[in-house]
């Protein structure tokens, strides 16, 4: 009887461990990328900035998370910052599964917010034209956040944060520490009169406590499950901070 009991206990423990591992591998993060491919009337091409996808992807993918992609229009997302000398960019681009995903992004209507433990807004100048007023994606992000998930964004990605409203009627960024591509950086790239608004100003208008460092300096801010990064140089840090927040939530669940 003792042997049988031990055997049952062993099988039960193994099943529990397998369930935990399975649940870990099934945890998904939704990446939002732009559908917009032109910088205003300049004729210059833009899109999502590759390293702002690949670097957070590499951190989360290596930790066992499944990444899915959504864009305002769905389908193939335009890419900017296409630098294959960056080994993380190359690793992402050469991954057939993820290359296929980002070239066949979901539409917002395809997304069930309950499937995701986090949402990440990748930057790139294209976001300045199609993230701000996208109510569908803002609603998805609000639901993920209010389901105790993590919201992250980097560079121009926080354009998607500006109009996220919570069920209490407050804006997500209101009263929280946030950073993003700064006014000074927009001036430095000569696009302050091309973009439809200055991101730093809009976030402050929504009540964000805006933090920033000097031009092109790494800067990642974390406040109440909201993770934001200033520029492409901050993308890996945003990925690591997002992972740290997710690990905290896993500890609470145990």
């Amino acid at each position: 009887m003792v042997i049988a009991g031990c055997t049952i206990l062993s099988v039960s423990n193994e099943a529990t461990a397998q369930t935990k591992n399975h649940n870990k591998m099934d945890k998904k993060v939704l990446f939002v990328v732009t559908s917009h491919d032109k910088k205003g009337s300049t004729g210059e091409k833009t899109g999502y900035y590759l390293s702002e996808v690949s670097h957070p992807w590499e951190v989360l993918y290596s930790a066992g998370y499944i990444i899915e992609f959504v864009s305002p229009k769905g389908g193939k997302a335009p890419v900017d910052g296409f630098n294959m000398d960056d080994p993380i960019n190359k690793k992402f681009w050469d991954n057939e599964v993820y290359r296929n995903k980002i070239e066949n992004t979901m539409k917002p209507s395809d997304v069930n917010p309950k499937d995701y433990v986090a949402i990440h807004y990748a930057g790139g100048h294209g976001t300045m034209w199609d993230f701000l007023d996208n109510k569908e994606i803002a609603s998805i992000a609000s639901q993920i956040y209010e389901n105790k998930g993590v919201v992250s964004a980097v560079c121009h990605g926080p354009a998607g944060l500006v109009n996220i409203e919570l069920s209490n009627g407050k804006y997500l960024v209101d009263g929280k520490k946030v950073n993003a591509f700064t006014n000074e950086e927009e001036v430095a790239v000569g696009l302050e009169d091309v973009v439809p608004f200055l991101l730093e100003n809009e976030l402050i208008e929504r009540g964000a406590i805006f933090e920033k460092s000097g031009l092109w300096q790494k800067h990642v801010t974390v406040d109440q499950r909201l993770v934001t990064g200033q520029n492409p140089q901050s993308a890996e840090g945003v990925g690591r901070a997002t992972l740290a927040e997710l690990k905290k939530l896993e500890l609470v669940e145990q």
Side-chain angles (χ1 to χ4, degrees):
M1 291 295 292
V2 174
I3 294 174
C6 289
T7 301
I8 292 170
L9 183 60
S10 175
V11 171
S12 176
N13 287 342
E14 184 178 349
T16 300
Q18 287 176 344
T19 299
K20 285 183 177 179
N21 288 336
H22 178 71
N23 288 341
K24 167 71 173 177
M25 290 304 294
D26 279 349
K27 288 186 175 177
K28 294 182 179 181
V29 177
L30 184 66
F31 275 35
V32 188
V33 292
T34 182
S35 298
H36 191 85
D37 66 354
K38 291 183 180 64
K39 294 177 183 176
S41 58
T42 65
E44 293 180 24
K45 295 290 186 181
T46 188
Y48 70 88
Y49 206 78
L50 182 55
S51 65
E52 294 170 22
V53 167
S54 68
H55 284 252
W57 166 83
E58 201 275 335
V59 171
L60 295 166
Y61 173 72
S62 297
Y65 287 84
I66 296 169
I67 313 300
E68 304 289 357
F69 294 90
V70 65
S71 64
K73 293 182 179 178
K76 187 172 182 177
V79 59
D80 197 3
F82 191 78
N83 176 15
M84 288 298 104
D85 290 333
D86 179 334
I88 304 302
N89 280 354
K90 191 172 189 310
K91 178 180 178 180
F92 174 82
W93 202 251
D94 288 347
N95 185 305
E96 291 184 11
V97 171
Y98 281 94
R99 171 86 172 274
N100 181 64
K101 284 185 179 186
I102 206 163
E103 293 191 338
N104 295 277
T105 65
M106 292 184 290
K107 294 179 181 178
S109 58
D110 297 327
V111 175
N112 181 354
K114 293 179 180 178
D115 291 341
Y116 300 93
V117 294
I119 182 169
H120 170 68
Y121 286 86
H125 269 95
T127 67
M128 298 290 281
W129 281 269
D130 67 355
F131 273 15
L132 185 74
D133 295 320
N134 193 290
K135 294 181 180 180
E136 290 178 288
I137 299 178
S139 176
I140 291 166
S142 177
Q143 290 177 69
I144 291 171
Y145 185 79
E146 294 198 316
N147 196 33
K148 306 302 181 186
V150 178
V151 175
S152 68
V154 63
C155 199
H156 288 92
L161 306 181
V162 172
N163 286 326
I164 296 175
E165 288 189 60
L166 303 178
S167 58
N168 63 6
K170 291 185 65 175
Y171 288 105
L172 172 66
V173 299
D174 188 10
K176 294 186 180 71
K177 295 176 182 177
V178 171
N179 73 7
F181 204 68
T182 67
N183 289 350
E184 292 84 355
E185 285 171 324
E186 204 68 80
V187 170
V189 297
L191 293 173
E192 73 276 15
D193 294 324
V194 173
V195 292
F197 58 93
L198 291 175
L199 183 50
E200 178 182 334
N201 292 355
E202 289 294 316
L203 290 165
I204 292 171
E205 179 71 20
R206 289 291 187 245
I209 302 166
F210 197 87
E211 297 186 345
K212 58 182 171 182
S213 296
L215 297 176
W216 325 126
Q217 299 301 303
K218 296 178 182 178
H219 191 140
V220 176
T221 299
V222 182
D223 193 351
Q224 302 174 62
R225 291 181 287 111
L226 177 62
V227 179
T228 46
Q230 183 168 317
N231 44 37
Q233 290 80 1
S234 307
E236 180 184 350
V238 167
R240 294 193 180 281
T242 300
L243 179 59
E245 290 297 293
L246 288 170
K247 286 182 176 179
K248 288 180 190 176
L249 296 176
E250 288 173 11
L251 289 173
V252 171
E253 290 173 2
Q254 290 176 357

